[in-house]
Amino acid sequence: MTTARALQMPTGLRVANGAFVAFWLLLAIFPLFWILVMSFKIPVDSFSTNPLQVIFGFETRRTVGGLSFLDLALGIVVLIAAYRLVAQTIGKAAGYLSLGGQVWFGWILASVVYAIGLALVFGWLVPLVFGLVNTIFGVIPLLNALATPVVGLTTEHYRAVWIENEFHEQFLNSAVVTAGVVTISLTVGTLAGYGLARSGGSLAFWLLVVALVFRALPHSVLVSGYLPAFLNSREWLGPLWESGATGWFFGLFSDEPPTLFGKHLPVIIVLVSINQPFTIWMLRSFFQNIPRELDEAARVDGCSHFEAFRRVIIPVMWPGVITTGLFSFLLAYNDFLVTSLLLDAEAQTMVPAIAQFFNRETTATDQVEAIAAAVSITAPLFLLVMIFQKQIVSGLTAGAVKG
Amino acid sequence: MAQVTLQGITKRWGAFTGVSNVNLEIADREFMVFLGPSGCGKTTTMRMIAGLEDPTEGEISIGDRVVNALEPKDRDIAMVFQNYGLYPNLTVYENIRFPLKVRRIDPQTHDDRVHRAAEMVELGDLLHRLPRELSGGQRQRVALARAVVRQPTVFLMDEPLSNLDAKLRVSTRAQLKNLQHELQVTTIYVTHDQIEAMTLAHRVVVMNHGKIQQIGTPTAIYDNPANTFVAGFIGSPAMNLLDGELQGGVFKSDNVAIAGLPADRNGPVTLGFRAEDARVVDADGAQIAAPIYSVELLGDATMVTVRTGGSLTSVKAEKDYRAEIGDGVGIGISPDICHLFDKESGQRVSLAA
Ligand SMILES: Nc1ncnc2c1ncn2[C@@H]1O[C@H](COP(=O)(O)OP(=O)(O)OP(=O)(O)O)[C@@H](O)[C@H]1O
Ligand SMILES: [Mg+2]
């Protein structure tokens, strides 16, 4: 959308605005950039007091090797091209792959295909081609300067984290917990938020306000409340298994009551219960912005209550659902306190695992490995934001009512 | 058979009464128009018939079923909302098609029906647009097309033409009337445009403050208003209403004396007559004699207004009648064009002969 000239900001304000955003970006992005740089260097470089040495990794370059100008230039081009290609074609591909069936199925299939494709390109094709190009330029006089390494680079820390330390197990644990939390919060949140927004029952509203207030409790208080119950859950839950009325039902799942401590499910439940009031609140306000006439028109046109919700409300609710989903994701993904206290070693998620890396207090190499692990866990966030950036931009209900 | 019956319908929000004790029988295939000033409860009544609002008291039936407990979808109605309620994520085509799709009507017929409905409101070349890319009037036409795409038992239309330009309004009005005649569907139509009400309706319901004032054919309502509200609301200009005293068949007020009225009632009354029924005459011996307050040229007539007592009284004169403000003028009123209303209750007390 273009802004009318008369409504545009004056130049001074625009410059000030831009400068402020740039400054803020620098503050926010610099630490991320710095640990990214550190994670690719050997410890001597990473912890050097000379910033240039951290960036260019003199020692790393000498002992392991690095990237040449050619690599850097080509790398940027390939990255941008790959992003463009994926962004432009994945929608169509999803359309093809849904094979006339459900669209979401097509999207999942397309994502898998693209992920495999990208992994192949960056894991195999790119190193091969770049190596070849560098060798060719290396033998041409004058141009061989372009092919000599300038920035030191080593991937040994990443290899150590993901292969030797089997970080993928923690990654999977994180994935399970996060997926569980997001799914449950969004399902409960959309239904409850819709109900609250449309019925406006005052009792439910005040319950929600109270729940929101409880969210201000330090999480450690909550956890210490849950902890004994989870540790002794075998005794607590005993009666359910023993009584005649309910025993047969719970017996279907296990022979005797489970110990909840250390399992994923209880952590998911705790995280959801911390987060749910906020999710419901947020979704409720999104729903309230959807004109009532939409449900009403749908119901007159022949939808049941639930059908109206599914066919008419949900399609215009995506921005709200995705934005709220991102918040839930962040909470579950970054949670330290609940996960570190309620999970055993086997079920541990990434964030407490990284904290342990840092606390091992051994060599400098371990520290850099911890940094590499920390950088690794930001990757999914980037992916998510990139995928959903279009949907986060709101405004799907324009044109529905007279307004 | 789809007569619609409202029995003692009342809607309250806390202490506020939006609609109070409405009793109404709408016959099968009838075109019924709800007419009334803004905020009088037209939309609320219609929403209760649609099932979008529960009546606080009373019973609604469509056909021979009591529908109070039925979901909107089971009442088999189609509705045009006052502020459209279009589906913003669907194109015009899909918006119009939605009711067909949801009600699982044979998909083979969809394309035909959608095009027919779109043609009717001249939307043919906008079918691929999204609602946000349309003007207000175009959106309203989509809402109308979505309602008429299917043949329900009852059409409910809440000011469906309010945002159209004058020309389109006249042609769509004619098409609506024709469509209703063709489909023979009971139709309830809300408007505050009298011309729309007069041209479309078989019968009109005049409402005010949540109460029904009068039910009748357009002619009956125009010729025999049941009370001063209807008299003062219907017609352009509305009926002249004069407060005064009736004594022995003579109505008296400032500058006014009308003889020959029924002699069986004495005391304060309100007298009404229509501007087009009275004549401009010489001031001598006229029923009303007063200086001119204003003269308006309407094209096909000239409207002359005088001040009588506290109120203004208008009369239509020949189109070439000319006079200055302040000139004395007389208005000739024969007793048979007069309507008498009770001064307190406003109810009609005797019919004009
Ligand atoms: N949800 C509500 N809560 C309280 N009062 C309401 C509510 N909805 C409507 N009202 C009131 O009920 C009365 C009737 O409203 P309604 O919408 O039926 O008017 P209307 O005749 O359709 O007017 P218009 O011609 O302006 O559309 C109004 O005075 C309005 O303020
Ligand atoms: Mg209304």
Side-chain angles (χ1 to χ4, degrees), chain A residues 351-367:
Chain A
V351 173
I354 289 172
Q356 272 181 16
F357 270 120
F358 278 113
N359 291 342
R360 274 194 307 206
E361 225 184 302
T362 42
T363 58
T365 314
D366 288 336
Q367 299 286 318

Side-chain angles (χ1 to χ4, degrees), chain B residues 247-261:
Chain B
Q247 283 298 342
V250 182
F251 175 86
K252 277 218 161 86
S253 178
D254 293 352
N255 313 337
V256 185
I258 304 172
L261 293 164

Side-chain angles (χ1 to χ4, degrees), chain A residues 181-206:
Chain A
V181 170
V182 172
T183 316
I184 298 179
S185 327
L186 283 189
T187 314
V188 176
T190 37
L191 293 175
Y194 179 65
L196 274 174
R198 284 301 185 252
S199 78
S202 55
L203 179 68
F205 178 82
W206 285 110

Side-chain angles (χ1 to χ4, degrees), chain A residues 292-294 296-305 307 311-312 315-316 395-403, chain B residues 47 52 71-73 77 79 81-89 98-99 102-104 131-132 139 146 162-163:
Chain A
R292 248 194 149 84
E293 277 79 8
L294 276 190
E296 293 178 346
R299 298 194 61 192
V300 168
D301 282 344
C303 293
S304 67
H305 213 146
E307 250 182 318
R311 302 184 78 131
V312 172
V316 297
L396 287 186
T397 56
V401 292
K402 212 169 198 166
Chain B
R47 286 170 57 83
L52 298 170
E71 283 218 33
K73 75 178 170 92
I77 48 180
M79 181 161 174
F81 286 80
Q82 190 167 5
N83 47 7
Y84 320 150
L86 303 181
Y87 309 121
N89 56 322
F98 190 82
V102 176
R103 292 191 188 262
R104 308 216 163 70
R132 68 164 163 274
R139 286 179 202 173
R146 183 177 63 185
S162 59
N163 258 25

Side-chain angles (χ1 to χ4, degrees), chain B residues 13 16 18 36-45 53 82 158-159 190 192:
Chain B
W13 289 280
F16 179 79
S38 186
C40 71
K42 307 181 296 285
T43 298
T44 309
T45 311
E53 206 93 59
Q82 190 167 5
D158 198 346
E159 307 192 17
V190 166
H192 40 214

